[in-house]
Amino acid sequence: MPGRTPGGRGRTNFTSEDDDNLAYYLATIYPNKANGGRVGIKAYKDLMDLSDEPDFAWARRHTAHSWRERYKKNQPRLDPLIDDHAEQQKDVGHHFGHDARSRRHRLLWYYKEEEEDEEGEGEEQEHQGR
């Protein structure tokens, strides 16, 4: 029979907090809508990669495709929220080819470098303890 599986995981509704988190995330990687990228799946897959980090635990509530569809279907309402968040971020003002507020290329690397630093510190402590 069509429909939901009894006892299976039900649908998780989006909240206004989800929308605000999504708007903030998109503002950090695509502050300017004209530059594109907000509807592509990569941003949402990257969000899921970040969901293991405490700052992004909220992303686990939905799948990458759900987040993307949420943005696509609610662009007129979400774009002003994204713009508000983007305005609050620091604009360094050099404007050489990309918006300097965009953290798209740094966000995942930041968390990966942090993990590597923690692993390196643990190895140093073990070595010093011998």
Side-chain angles (χ1 to χ4, degrees):
M1 246 196 237
R4 243 185 253 158
T5 306
R9 184 172 176 224
R11 178 186 163 112
T12 302
N13 292 326
F14 281 90
T15 64
S16 60
E17 187 177 356
D18 286 336
D19 289 343
D20 192 54
N21 286 329
L22 178 61
Y24 180 79
Y25 170 71
L26 289 173
T28 63
I29 58 171
Y30 298 113
N32 187 350
K33 183 181 180 177
N35 292 342
R38 290 183 184 175
V39 224
I41 192 64
K42 176 138 178 51
Y44 304 95
K45 286 184 177 180
D46 288 349
L47 175 60
M48 298 316 297
D49 290 342
L50 288 168
S51 69
D52 291 333
E53 300 298 331
D55 292 343
F56 294 92
W58 54 267
R60 284 186 237 131
R61 289 177 40 83
H62 306 283
T63 65
H65 293 283
S66 295
W67 286 114
R68 181 175 177 253
E69 287 301 311
R70 180 67 172 181
Y71 173 72
K72 281 175 55 177
K73 292 179 180 178
N74 293 280
Q75 282 185 44
R77 189 175 51 77
L78 290 173
D79 282 340
L81 282 172
I82 295 168
D83 293 342
D84 288 345
H85 284 296
E87 285 177 21
Q88 294 171 14
Q89 295 174 13
K90 183 179 180 184
D91 182 359
V92 296
H94 68 68
H95 304 286
F96 294 119
H98 70 279
D99 193 325
R101 294 170 294 184
S102 175
R103 295 174 23 196
R104 177 170 183 252
H105 301 289
R106 295 179 298 199
L107 204 54
L108 284 169
W109 292 330
Y110 170 78
Y111 283 103
K112 287 179 183 175
E113 285 177 4
E114 210 173 64
E115 285 176 7
E116 289 171 4
D117 289 346
E118 288 173 3
E119 288 172 7
E121 288 173 8
E123 290 171 7
E124 283 180 28
Q125 290 174 355
E126 282 179 24
H127 182 50
Q128 290 173 356
R130 292 182 189 174

